[in-house]
Amino acid sequence: MTNPRTVLHNVNIFDSINGKIEEDKTIVISKGKIDWVGEASSFEKEQNDTIMDLEGKYALPGLIDCHVHLELRSEHYTNPYQEWATTSPYFAGFRAIKSAEDHIRSGFTTVRDCGGDLWGQSLNRAIAGGLYRGPRVLAAQWPLQQVGSITYDLPMDLNVAFNWLDSQRVLGIAYPTGVDEMILAVRTRRMQGSSFIKVMNTGSVYGLILGSNIEDTFFSAEEMDALANEAHRNGMHVACHSHNDTGINEALDAGIDTIEHASYISEETSKRMAKTDSYLITTYLVGDARHSPEKMKENPGFVELMNEVAKATYENHRVAFEEGVKFALGSDSGPVNAPPGSSAKELVYIVENLGMSPAQALQCATINAARAIKLEDEIGFIEVGKVADIVVVGVNPLESLTSLQELENIEYVLKGGEIVSKRGILQ
């Protein structure tokens, strides 16, 4: 008896390698992988096939968001750093589950969580075991930060949280100092189930409230080299939060795999980065101050800084794109401006702010993203042998990227060949 197969018949496929629509195709799925792709007219039915006649709808590779924060949800706090520092890991894990559901409903079948508590391994186990619906989650868990990267005079609960983090430094959990502690930090994260390493080598925009300055750079060259070498030796890639040009160059010196934000990347650095295998992760959505709630706008200078950084980012990234830097989609979803499930908006921002075509933007969320996170052998492209992560939509996305923001247009989401969502309703 032949294996049961799921057949997506009469469908138009987005070819993420070449950035075009291939019409009148059929996709055959068996054992969670793509078993056959070809002309609809050439398809030969087998006895145990389940055929879905899609009547000319559009199939995309499962979308990928390379930068999310699942445990941050805007309905709780307006300041993500306050939210993070005053939340138990147990409650954070429950929020991560809800965010995971929001992402999979919107067609994002893989997300990379760039900093959270130690729930990453458990969340994937729960999703894989069928307890919850959610995307494939690559979780960094605790990000690596330098002691003194923020200064604070805070209420007691926040002081307790940060002082506890300081106390964990010697255990390799947070704030490593020196080459040996950096190596220990990587090994500790691997032991705790982290999929990759997240490091912050410059200040941050949201961190303004806690005394962070995006002009600051952190960690020595020796520390960054040790981190990258140890991570790669252990089969883990590295994502580096880096806003200023000095930090970006120091990350490139160390062979970092993805640069997050890169707001102030110079033309010279763009030319250099274009010659490497590193990817720039966009994160435009989170930086749009227009979406900030009124309470957040009460923080002195915050909105002004967001607007200043956003303007510089768009200008610098347009140059970087022209120079050939490789881009992949990341929304930085979780903080207030980018709620979980809104990652498709980043596609529109990429077109508007970089000058990419809709096809190029979709490549940022498919094949480029898969390459950036080292999963191009499994996902990112609809072809035989790939994992059957597929999103079926009713509107040609090259004609309307905004249609991907509406759940009723997300007809089916398949993860590993299984239908997990229909028009925003989890199955």
Side-chain angles (χ1 to χ4, degrees), residues 190-243:
R190 187 173 187 273
M191 177 184 69
Q192 293 169 334
S194 295
S195 307
F196 69 103
I197 298 297
K198 165 72 177 297
V199 62
M200 302 179 70
N201 82 334
T202 74
S204 66
V205 177
Y206 275 86
L208 171 70
I209 301 165
L210 296 179
S212 179
N213 188 332
I214 62 172
E215 296 178 359
D216 293 340
T217 56
F218 311 126
F219 294 120
S220 68
E222 292 78 13
E223 289 170 326
M224 290 292 287
D225 285 344
L227 175 146
N229 290 337
E230 187 64 19
H232 293 156
R233 192 181 70 82
N234 281 277
M236 305 167 80
H237 72 270
V238 182
C240 184
H241 161 113
S242 198
H243 277 286

Side-chain angles (χ1 to χ4, degrees), residues 220-383:
S220 68
E222 292 78 13
E223 289 170 326
M224 290 292 287
D225 285 344
L227 175 146
N229 290 337
E230 187 64 19
H232 293 156
R233 192 181 70 82
N234 281 277
M236 305 167 80
H237 72 270
V238 182
C240 184
H241 161 113
S242 198
H243 277 286
N244 65 58
D245 198 52
T246 299
I248 297 166
N249 274 287
E250 290 176 353
L252 293 174
D253 288 343
I256 300 298
D257 302 286
T258 67
I259 309 295
E260 318 300 302
H261 317 302
S263 303
Y264 288 94
I265 187 170
S266 67
E267 181 177 353
E268 181 180 358
T269 302
S270 292
K271 292 177 178 178
R272 177 192 178 191
M273 186 171 176
K275 297 176 183 177
T276 73
D277 293 328
S278 298
Y279 278 77
L280 194 159
I281 310 301
T282 54
T283 70
Y284 302 144
L285 187 58
V286 75
D288 190 338
R290 291 174 295 178
H291 301 305
S292 298
E294 291 304 315
K295 187 170 181 57
M296 181 170 278
K297 294 177 183 178
E298 295 173 7
N299 293 294
F302 183 74
V303 171
E304 291 79 4
L305 177 61
M306 288 185 71
N307 287 331
E308 175 189 321
V309 173
K311 182 176 183 294
T313 299
Y314 299 149
E315 292 174 354
N316 295 328
H317 284 197
R318 280 194 290 271
V319 173
F321 177 53
E322 291 170 0
E323 293 295 341
V325 169
K326 293 175 282 292
F327 282 80
L329 181 143
S331 67
D332 210 349
S333 79
V336 291
N337 297 344
S342 65
S343 300
K345 292 182 180 178
E346 187 79 12
L347 292 165
V348 177
Y349 274 66
I350 288 172
V351 171
E352 291 178 347
N353 297 310
L354 281 188
M356 284 191 185
S357 67
Q360 289 172 320
L362 277 174
Q363 287 175 314
C364 287
T366 52
I367 187 62
N368 287 13
R371 289 167 175 164
I373 62 176
K374 314 302 181 186
L375 288 180
E376 67 270 26
D377 291 339
E378 301 178 38
I379 58 175
F381 182 52
I382 296 177
E383 69 174 358

Side-chain angles (χ1 to χ4, degrees), residues 33-268:
K33 293 193 174 184
I34 298 171
D35 191 53
W36 185 83
V37 180
E39 300 294 332
S41 59
S42 300
F43 165 66
E44 296 182 0
K45 184 181 183 304
E46 294 185 0
Q47 182 177 356
N48 293 325
D49 286 348
T50 298
I51 298 181
M52 300 170 60
D53 189 345
L54 297 178
E55 300 178 329
K57 293 182 173 65
Y58 297 84
L60 316 174
L63 301 174
I64 304 166
D65 191 329
C66 294
H67 194 129
V68 305
H69 295 280
L70 295 177
E71 69 179 50
L72 299 180
R73 295 188 64 85
S74 59
E75 60 262 31
H76 293 93
Y77 292 97
T78 56
N79 180 345
Y81 283 87
Q82 181 187 14
E83 179 180 357
W84 167 74
T86 58
T87 299
S88 76
Y90 310 107
F91 187 52
F94 284 117
R95 283 210 307 258
I97 291 171
K98 174 59 177 171
S99 297
E101 291 178 339
D102 289 340
H103 282 293
I104 196 71
R105 293 189 313 133
S106 66
F108 282 78
T109 56
T110 300
V111 298
R112 188 178 65 159
D113 190 284
C114 286
D117 221 312
L118 301 178
W119 41 255
Q121 190 170 206
S122 296
L123 178 60
N124 272 316
R125 184 178 177 185
I127 292 172
L131 296 177
Y132 302 97
R133 292 300 195 188
R136 179 181 299 98
V137 179
L138 279 66
Q141 305 186 128
W142 289 106
L144 294 174
Q145 295 176 271
Q146 178 182 286
V147 171
S149 60
I150 58 175
T151 59
Y152 46 89
D153 179 18
L154 303 171
M156 182 56 68
D157 57 347
L158 290 180
N159 268 318
V160 169
F162 282 114
N163 287 338
W164 179 84
L165 283 175
D166 286 342
S167 73
Q168 303 305 303
R169 181 176 62 84
V170 295
L171 301 179
I173 296 177
Y175 296 145
T177 294
V179 167
D180 289 344
E181 288 189 10
M182 195 66 95
I183 292 172
L184 176 61
V186 172
R187 294 176 181 177
T188 301
R189 280 156 181 72
R190 187 173 187 273
M191 177 184 69
Q192 293 169 334
S194 295
S195 307
F196 69 103
I197 298 297
K198 165 72 177 297
V199 62
M200 302 179 70
N201 82 334
T202 74
S204 66
V205 177
Y206 275 86
L208 171 70
I209 301 165
L210 296 179
S212 179
N213 188 332
I214 62 172
E215 296 178 359
D216 293 340
T217 56
F218 311 126
F219 294 120
S220 68
E222 292 78 13
E223 289 170 326
M224 290 292 287
D225 285 344
L227 175 146
N229 290 337
E230 187 64 19
H232 293 156
R233 192 181 70 82
N234 281 277
M236 305 167 80
H237 72 270
V238 182
C240 184
H241 161 113
S242 198
H243 277 286
N244 65 58
D245 198 52
T246 299
I248 297 166
N249 274 287
E250 290 176 353
L252 293 174
D253 288 343
I256 300 298
D257 302 286
T258 67
I259 309 295
E260 318 300 302
H261 317 302
S263 303
Y264 288 94
I265 187 170
S266 67
E267 181 177 353
E268 181 180 358

